[in-house]
Amino acid sequence: GAVVSQHPSRVICKSGTSVKIECRSLDFQATTMFWYRQFPKQSLMLMATSNEGSKATYEQGVEKDKFLINHASLTLSTLTVTSAHPEDSSFYICSAPSGSVTDTQYFGPGTRLTVL
Amino acid sequence: QKEVEQDPGPLSVPEGAIVSLNCTYSNSAFQYFMWYRQYSRKGPELLMYTYSSGNKEDGRFTAQVDKSSKYISLFIRDSQPSDSATYLCAMNSGGSNYKLTFGKGTLLTVNP
């Protein structure tokens, strides 16, 4: 199957700082990537759709100025959590469609963010 | 009513048991159905994918879709302790570039 990587896998930061998370498709190109957030023992919540060459599309209730998304190339999307606060602590996961005949999405391993 | 309903469990079974996991949905536009397995603190891993009613088998796993009843299932035969994970159903209406709608996930524990 297609491989999606994320970096870093874990990050701990102080309140008020910004954190950047990278999502890469390693063996395929992705014009679209998705960013999710997952709280403990809960399902994935879609935050935004990242589009290569254009602005991201945010889900209702997600602050676009707080969660900055940049789809820099066909293999890289970044999520920057700006002025992070403890309530932003969560598991952030990206996904990308492989473009193959299976026509579905593959997920990265996730990034655990802890804001102190 | 939520678009996708999935019993969160937890579900605990002995090793070797047949496991049945289910989701119901309300949006008749959904055409593509997936099952993901997620181990603790890891990203979801695609297990099964189907886009038509009927059964699809892959090793010990069988995915079943009944569009008339808006009901999908995942069966695991000869369950193993390594199958212990959260299983998420997901679906969308238009293929890979369309947003997935997830169930809440069912936490499965297979006891040796």
Side-chain angles (χ1 to χ4, degrees):
Chain A
V3 179
V4 176
S5 71
Q6 278 184 246
H7 177 81
S9 58
R10 294 188 70 173
V11 58
I12 300 173
C13 68
K14 292 182 179 179
S15 186
T17 61
S18 294
V19 174
K20 180 185 285 187
I21 302 169
E22 293 185 348
C23 176
R24 292 182 186 273
S25 54
L26 296 186
D27 50 0
F28 63 99
Q29 294 181 332
T31 56
T32 301
M33 291 183 176
F34 299 92
W35 285 96
Y36 296 84
R37 184 169 169 173
Q38 187 177 35
F39 292 106
K41 299 185 180 181
Q42 294 191 24
S43 191
L44 287 81
M45 183 192 81
L46 179 65
M47 299 175 65
T49 303
S50 173
N51 304 298
E52 191 270 337
S54 64
K55 291 182 179 180
T57 305
Y58 290 83
E59 295 300 300
Q60 191 173 11
V62 177
E63 300 175 60
K64 62 180 181 180
D65 294 330
K66 180 168 186 60
F67 298 100
L68 301 179
I69 291 173
N70 181 28
H71 201 131
S73 73
L74 289 172
T75 60
L76 173 64
S77 175
T78 60
L79 168 68
T80 302
V81 183
T82 63
S83 186
H85 290 283
E87 58 265 31
D88 298 324
S89 298
S90 189
F91 194 50
Y92 292 87
I93 311 174
C94 67
S95 74
S98 69
S100 72
V101 295
T102 58
D103 202 29
T104 187
Q105 294 179 31
Y106 294 87
F107 285 80
T111 297
R112 183 159 301 281
L113 170 64
T114 302
V115 184
L116 302 177
Chain B
Q1 181 188 11
K2 290 189 176 180
E3 280 194 296
V4 179
E5 299 276 3
Q6 182 178 8
D7 186 341
L11 181 62
S12 181
V13 301
E15 184 175 353
I18 296 174
V19 176
S20 173
L21 304 167
N22 312 293
C23 289
T24 59
Y25 62 96
S26 58
N27 188 345
S28 59
F30 288 143
Q31 299 293 324
Y32 299 84
F33 305 91
M34 288 136 265
W35 284 96
Y36 287 88
R37 176 174 63 194
Q38 186 177 25
Y39 292 112
S40 181
R41 301 184 181 184
K42 301 290 184 184
E45 169 194 9
L46 180 66
L47 275 180
M48 299 287 286
Y49 167 86
T50 185
Y51 56 87
S52 60
S53 285
N55 294 351
K56 181 178 181 180
E57 189 173 318
D58 184 0
R60 297 185 294 111
F61 299 92
T62 299
Q64 191 174 80
V65 174
D66 182 348
K67 289 186 178 179
S68 63
S69 301
K70 297 188 179 67
Y71 187 89
I72 68 171
S73 300
L74 177 70
F75 298 96
I76 307 174
R77 290 184 300 279
D78 188 25
S79 57
Q80 302 295 310
S82 58
D83 295 329
S84 298
T86 296
Y87 289 80
L88 297 146
C89 65
M91 50 198 78
N92 68 20
S93 58
S96 61
N97 286 322
Y98 285 75
K99 297 183 290 187
L100 288 175
T101 300
F102 283 91
K104 281 190 172 183
T106 299
L107 177 60
L108 171 68
T109 301
V110 181
N111 301 299

